[in-house]
Amino acid sequence: MLSEILDFLGSLHPLIVHLPIGIILLTIAIDVFMRNKNNSIQRVITMGWFFSFFSGLLAVLFGWFLGDNGYYLESQITIHRWSGVALVGVFFIIWILRYLNFRFSRSTNRSINMTAIFLLLVTGHYGGEMTHGQNYLFENLPYVKKKISVMSISEVKRSETDSIFVYEDLVYPVFEEKCMACHNQNQTYGGLNMSSFESIVKGGKSGAGIQKGSPFESLVYKRVSFPQNHPKFMPPTGVPLSYDQIAILEWWIDNGAERQMPVTLARKEPKIQRLMELQYGLDLREKSYLETLKLRTLSQNDLKALEDERYIWRFINPEESFLDVKFTAKKIQTPDLLNIQKVKENVTWLNLTDCMLNDDHLNYLSAFPNLTRLKIQRNQSVTDSGIEALKELKNLNELNLYGTRISDAAFISLGKIKSLKKLFVWNTLVTPGGIQSFIEQHPEVEVIGGL
Ligand code: HEC
């Protein structure tokens, strides 16, 4: 009961403090600006010091109760507390001396006023810092750019998203900044020590800090997501956690709160992925096969293989290592294929449209490991048995077979190309039923059958 009353009085502190501030400023203003002070004015000034003292005393007393609840950092509170006490002491001494009709010289009087104002500024400033955060005053000056987000992830790490962990790189730095001052090995308010992963999970005297999989049973999450005026809201002073910090914390706990959970898991959750992109500059989009591939650049000698005028070719990346090669003559022969095998690592797109390609020729294509797009449409001699060789192509995304003589049997080989995304089979011998059953087994492949 008593502690509840004290808590209540403590909560009145921020209200009461404004009384002595107003009264002392008015009193000093009267003292400074009223030149000829008769007795009544002197009495008003003495009364002003008295009321400053009286309201100031209440403010100090209530402030003491408030500071005792553990919600403020000892290091922050000390200066505020003792300059407040000194200020009220000054109010008291001046009032008593004036009450006893002690006459101050002009210069002493001025020093007294200045001292009171100085102590007022110090006390007020440190009080404001505790309630509004350290940079409150300067941050809000016009023309000062606010710091938007604290990004603790280095440039280098940011480009290698596989090595970034949700807890270590996103969650823990927030705890360190906003909670650790009150929850560490030495200072464990509520029995909670937040200096290690294990002790955070374990929690304090009221239960688990983190209940893996259940944010709403995790005290650490509950406390930061209360409404800010809730008595149990954390952190009790200073700047609360931002929306993205709370959302990432919730998502992490929801997904098992593992210490080594990679941020790339956010790919499954577009909202979180977007937050990470905006707040931490993390680009989590999946890289395509080609983006992850580093190929050697070709020498002059290598390029000789392509000098054959029956081929046209170009580089498809600025680093000049991926080749797009097209055969342009009417009839292809085995030596043509052997020739471009000299740059087989680098051929990523290959176009052998309408050049009398046959099943035997297709065997040579399995030698191109980085082939991602292959066009062999309009070759009437390509049949199911030739397609078998293509299953060796581990990175093939797109395959154009329209106008060949393949049938439903080709789908067996085609189903073995795990990387396949797009397949053109119109104007062949495949049946709508064959396409249908292939799509059912391989929903990831887009099949262009049509007419
Ligand atoms: C200025 C000091 C201070 C800061 C900063 C602070 N806390 Fe607290 N915390 C306390 C005090 C005092 C208590 C005990 C009273 C209570 O339960 O409200 C407490 C209690 C808790 C409890 C309940 C422990 C239990 O089992 O009873 C949790 C959970 C908690 N804090 C989480 C946090 C988190 C998370 C942060 C950072 C976002 C944080 N605190 C920052 C002072 C602080």
Side-chain angles (χ1 to χ4, degrees), residues 363-375:
N363 287 320
Y364 295 93
L365 296 183
S366 56
F368 293 80
N370 297 319
L371 207 54
T372 63
R373 181 190 286 181
L374 177 62
K375 295 183 167 187

Side-chain angles (χ1 to χ4, degrees), residues 271-436:
K271 191 181 90 174
I272 300 291
Q273 180 172 354
R274 182 103 184 97
L275 277 184
M276 290 186 176
E277 203 175 302
L278 287 176
Q279 300 297 324
Y280 298 94
L282 292 176
D283 182 0
L284 299 179
R285 281 169 306 181
E286 209 125 26
K287 299 253 190 307
S288 74
Y289 168 67
L290 285 185
E291 280 176 287
T292 58
L293 199 61
K294 289 254 182 305
L295 294 182
R296 74 185 175 97
T297 44
L298 295 166
S299 68
Q300 235 23 58
N301 203 25
D302 296 324
L303 291 173
K304 278 220 180 76
L306 296 164
E307 264 171 20
D308 185 338
E309 61 195 18
R310 291 138 61 86
Y311 282 110
I312 55 173
W313 60 274
R314 64 182 179 117
F315 287 117
I316 56 177
N317 63 335
E319 293 78 25
E320 305 204 328
S321 55
F322 301 159
L323 284 169
D324 174 12
V325 179
K326 181 172 194 235
F327 186 76
T328 58
K330 285 267 168 288
K331 185 168 169 39
I332 198 162
Q333 279 168 335
T334 307
D336 296 320
L337 290 165
L338 289 174
N339 194 23
I340 54 165
Q341 274 196 5
K342 290 176 192 148
V343 290
K344 59 180 192 243
E345 300 275 335
N346 300 73
V347 177
T348 44
W349 293 355
L350 183 58
N351 187 339
L352 307 175
T353 301
D354 194 13
C355 58
M356 304 176 80
L357 194 72
N358 62 33
D359 287 345
D360 284 340
H361 294 138
L362 290 180
N363 287 320
Y364 295 93
L365 296 183
S366 56
F368 293 80
N370 297 319
L371 207 54
T372 63
R373 181 190 286 181
L374 177 62
K375 295 183 167 187
I376 49 175
Q377 65 262 36
R378 289 163 51 204
N379 286 298
Q380 287 288 332
S381 314
V382 168
T383 69
D384 298 336
S385 69
I387 297 302
E388 258 198 81
L390 300 184
K391 64 177 194 278
E392 305 299 323
L393 296 171
K394 297 276 177 289
N395 297 300
L396 193 63
N397 283 169
E398 193 177 316
L399 177 59
N400 195 328
L401 296 171
Y402 98 79
T404 58
R405 298 239 316 284
I406 60 154
S407 70
D408 290 347
F411 283 130
I412 297 172
S413 312
L414 294 170
K416 291 181 182 150
I417 309 175
K418 293 276 170 287
S419 54
L420 201 61
K421 296 272 182 327
K422 206 166 181 179
L423 180 62
F424 297 79
V425 291
W426 47 289
N427 202 10
T428 59
L429 305 176
V430 302
T431 65
I435 293 178
Q436 194 55 40

Side-chain angles (χ1 to χ4, degrees), residues 62-178:
F62 292 1
W64 211 277
F65 302 148
L66 181 63
D68 259 1
N69 68 7
Y71 285 142
Y72 297 91
L73 298 181
E74 211 44 51
S75 58
Q76 275 187 337
I77 217 172
T78 311
I79 300 181
H80 177 67
R81 173 182 276 155
W82 293 110
S83 61
V85 169
L87 185 59
V88 172
V90 170
F91 291 162
F92 178 72
I93 293 167
I94 305 306
W95 166 60
I96 284 287
L97 289 176
R98 291 190 68 106
Y99 184 73
L100 300 174
N101 272 329
F102 187 88
R103 291 273 160 227
F104 298 103
S105 73
R106 258 169 166 268
S107 63
T108 315
N109 200 40
R110 193 177 305 143
S111 317
I112 290 168
N113 288 346
M114 305 260 267
T115 309
I117 288 180
F118 173 73
L119 283 173
L120 194 65
L121 286 178
V122 171
T123 315
H125 176 69
Y126 283 95
E129 253 192 20
M130 272 190 290
T131 34
H132 303 299
Q134 286 216 319
N135 298 318
Y136 182 73
L137 187 57
F138 298 107
E139 236 176 37
N140 289 300
L141 285 174
Y143 309 116
V144 173
K145 270 223 175 97
K146 287 194 193 180
K147 248 187 18 197
I148 295 196
S149 145
V150 200
M151 294 196 290
S152 50
I153 302 169
S154 72
E155 258 336 298
V156 186
K157 241 184 152 180
R158 220 176 291 165
S159 61
E160 288 174 16
T161 44
D162 287 338
S163 63
I164 302 179
F165 297 111
V166 181
Y167 173 72
E168 279 161 25
D169 294 298
L170 305 183
V171 171
Y172 185 70
V174 174
F175 289 163
E176 206 171 19
E177 185 194 333
K178 305 212 160 152

